[in-house]
């Protein structure tokens, strides 16, 4: 089943809204010293922005790994985004998995803080692409 243009636009907008909303939670979590939860939210903020981009271009994925693969294939390898974005996205997923599933792993504050600005940059670039696309619609 394929999406109509209106459905695609709605899903893209909802994914970006979710990305931005989740990103806004990070400052609260950092200020509270909730590093593992902040790592989770940081990953998901980028994940939802990437999903918005994939939906915009008609790519269908059903897993987190699939999202990474398609993002790498269509946006990193083609040069739309630099290779470090792909590596960074993988680092966020690894950090999220360690903090969510490994009971002896604690996210270091400096490790998390160093990832906030790069995540914001990726979300911003994706948001810019999507805004331009929406203005063309």
């Amino acid at each position: 089943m394929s999406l109509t243009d209106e459905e695609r636009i709605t899903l893209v907008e909802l994914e970006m809204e979710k990305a931005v909303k989740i990103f806004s939670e990070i400052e609260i979590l950092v200020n509270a010293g909730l590093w593992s939860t902040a790592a989770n939210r940081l990953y998901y903020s980028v994940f939802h922005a990437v999903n918005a981009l994939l939906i915009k271009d008609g790519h269908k994925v059903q897993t987190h790994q699939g999202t990474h693969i398609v993002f790498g294939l269509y946006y990193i390898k083609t040069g739309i985004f630099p290779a470090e974005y792909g590596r960074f996205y993988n680092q966020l997923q690894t950090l999220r998995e360690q903090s969510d599933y490994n009971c002896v792993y604690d996210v270091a504050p400096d490790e998390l803080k160093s990832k906030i600005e790069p995540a914001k940059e990726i979300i911003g670039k994706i948001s810019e692409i999507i805004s331009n696309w929406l203005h063309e619609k």
Side-chain angles (χ1 to χ4, degrees):
M1 178 176 160
S2 61
L3 298 172
T4 66
D5 285 344
E6 185 176 312
E7 291 168 331
R8 182 177 318 284
I9 289 167
T10 299
L11 282 175
V12 167
E13 289 174 332
L14 289 171
E15 286 285 352
M16 281 309 301
E17 286 173 17
K18 190 157 189 121
V20 171
K21 182 179 184 236
I22 291 171
F23 190 84
S24 73
E25 298 169 358
I26 294 165
E27 183 178 357
I28 296 164
L29 297 168
V30 166
N31 289 337
L34 299 171
W35 306 109
S36 292
T37 306
N40 173 288
R41 304 323 287 156
L42 193 61
Y43 167 75
Y44 276 105
S45 65
V46 174
F47 172 78
H48 284 288
V50 169
N51 273 339
L53 187 64
L54 300 183
I55 292 166
K56 172 189 96 55
D57 291 332
H59 301 294
K60 296 177 186 174
V61 295
Q62 300 200 356
T63 65
H64 287 265
Q65 187 63 31
T67 300
H68 284 270
I69 290 168
V70 173
F71 182 64
L73 190 62
Y74 290 99
Y75 302 93
I76 303 297
K77 288 193 180 213
T78 60
I80 294 171
F81 293 105
E84 59 263 18
Y85 279 24
R87 287 189 295 275
F88 178 76
Y89 187 32
N90 286 331
Q91 290 171 4
L92 284 181
Q93 183 176 20
T94 299
L95 182 64
R96 196 260 318 163
E97 288 172 351
Q98 287 176 323
S99 66
D100 282 356
Y101 302 120
N102 186 336
C103 63
V104 297
Y105 181 79
D106 287 322
V107 176
D110 288 343
E111 179 180 21
L112 181 87
K113 287 179 181 178
S114 71
K115 294 184 176 358
I116 293 172
E117 281 305 312
K120 185 177 181 179
E121 181 181 321
I122 291 172
I123 293 167
K125 298 243 185 213
I126 291 172
S127 180
E128 184 180 322
I129 289 169
I130 288 172
S131 288
N132 291 338
W133 174 73
L134 288 171
H135 284 100
E136 294 172 1
K137 293 289 179 187

